[in-house]
Amino acid sequence: MTGGRDPAGAPGAAGRTAARVAALTGEPVPAAEPLGGGDVCDAYRVAGEAGRTYAAKTLPAPPPGFFEAEAAGLRMLRETGTVAVPEVRAVQQDLLVLEWAEPGAPTAAQAERLGRELAALHTAPAPAFGTPGRRCYLGTVELPAPDRPPAGWPAFHAEHRLLPLLRAAVDAGTLGPGDARDVERVCAELDRLAGPPQPPAVIHGDLWSGNVLWGRERPWLIDPAAQGGHPETDLALLELFGCPHLDRLLAAYAEVRPLPGRAGRVPLHQLQHLLVHAVLFGGGYGARCGAAARAALR
């Protein structure tokens, strides 16, 4: 969402960002080039005179700990040693400065590599479901971070993901009573719907296709909501809005880490993000939440 922000292309905004990056990195920065595509933040390519290039994200008056949460998520993913993520160069309340990843074009080879890397990522254990002790955001929606989350994924996902988002969507007036009842049924039956038990694994948490950066040599992951979660959530999100060479990616993943019955659980794992979209954007997302809930119940 862009309401209340300087347009990314405004010379004043770009100039202020370049000056701040220069101060934080200690490197002269002549200019910042606006980048498109963001729904929440303004993004810039910032080239320093010493030859280093940075990515900078800004958001005036962000939610508490917004960029700190993203930086922590990037570090969580990096520490697994399985996927490529930009290194954090600096973080402030309204600014995040990252290593620049040069974009390229998506290829089948890169998709297969990402499938194998995600399979490796999802073998990395997390200490608990969620992010105990730190904040986590999907868009600008803060996800609960209980100090003692339930040990089982169904209870955690119902109590600390689906039900809080359901209440927020109902309060926003974007989810009708019938659709809300179907989401409540999913929560009540999650033990039955969840499939085999899953201990907390490190996941990206917001892995729609726009958060895959196809680089010149390898794929990178950006903009995470990294947490202890269920690996099938990452895969279901790649299917939510489409992803280049998705069939090759999923096949490569399955060769390393088979997940019997996963296809039938895709609507269940998409429901959380559809609820977030209903909260933030309204429109037809409320009806899509109901449809996903009913598909999960089948």
Side-chain angles (χ1 to χ4, degrees):
M1 296 188 299
T2 58
R5 298 188 288 120
D6 287 338
R16 289 192 297 271
T17 300
R20 294 182 66 187
V21 172
L24 289 167
T25 62
E27 179 178 355
V29 173
E33 175 188 352
L35 302 173
D39 289 324
V40 175
C41 301
D42 287 333
Y44 301 87
R45 180 183 182 273
V46 184
E49 290 184 351
R52 287 181 289 269
T53 304
Y54 308 94
K57 299 172 65 174
T58 65
L59 180 62
F66 180 76
F67 284 126
E68 289 87 348
E70 181 174 339
L74 288 166
R75 294 186 186 107
M76 183 179 191
L77 295 176
R78 175 178 287 272
E79 287 169 1
T80 68
T82 59
V83 293
V85 297
E87 185 174 349
V88 176
R89 302 299 194 194
V91 58
Q92 295 189 327
Q93 179 182 353
D94 60 344
L95 173 69
L96 180 64
V97 182
L98 303 170
E99 170 191 9
W100 176 257
E102 190 66 29
T107 65
Q110 283 206 39
E112 290 175 356
R113 177 173 182 169
L114 180 56
R116 293 189 292 270
E117 290 178 345
L118 287 174
L121 171 68
H122 293 157
T123 65
F129 288 109
T131 55
R134 71 170 174 88
R135 288 186 157 97
C136 185
Y137 288 91
L138 281 176
T140 53
V141 175
E142 184 171 6
L143 301 177
D147 290 333
R148 292 182 177 84
W153 181 79
F156 166 78
H157 197 61
E159 295 172 19
H160 301 292
R161 292 295 183 261
L162 296 183
L163 287 174
L165 292 170
L166 170 63
R167 288 190 288 269
V170 170
D171 290 346
T174 59
L175 194 67
D179 292 327
R181 283 193 295 271
D182 288 330
V183 175
E184 289 174 340
R185 285 182 58 205
V186 168
C187 294
E189 299 184 35
L190 207 50
D191 276 321
R192 174 180 69 84
L193 302 173
Q198 169 64 51
V202 177
I203 66 171
H204 178 282
D206 191 13
L207 196 58
W208 71 288
S209 60
N211 286 343
V212 177
L213 193 159
W214 304 98
R216 290 190 174 178
E217 297 181 355
R218 64 175 301 173
W220 298 68
L221 302 185
I222 59 175
D223 297 351
Q227 58 190 283
H230 198 303
E232 291 183 24
T233 299
D234 279 348
L235 302 181
L237 292 182
L238 287 170
E239 297 186 60
L240 186 56
F241 299 113
C243 178
H245 307 291
L246 181 61
D247 57 338
R248 302 284 288 272
L249 187 159
L250 294 175
Y253 184 103
E255 288 176 3
V256 179
R257 193 172 184 275
L259 294 170
R262 186 195 73 84
R265 295 185 291 270
V266 168
L268 170 63
H269 287 277
Q270 292 178 342
L271 182 54
Q272 171 188 254
H273 273 61
L274 290 171
L275 286 166
V276 170
H277 279 68
V279 173
L280 291 176
F281 305 116
Y285 283 111
R288 290 188 66 180
C289 292
R294 290 185 288 275
L297 288 164
R298 290 195 294 269

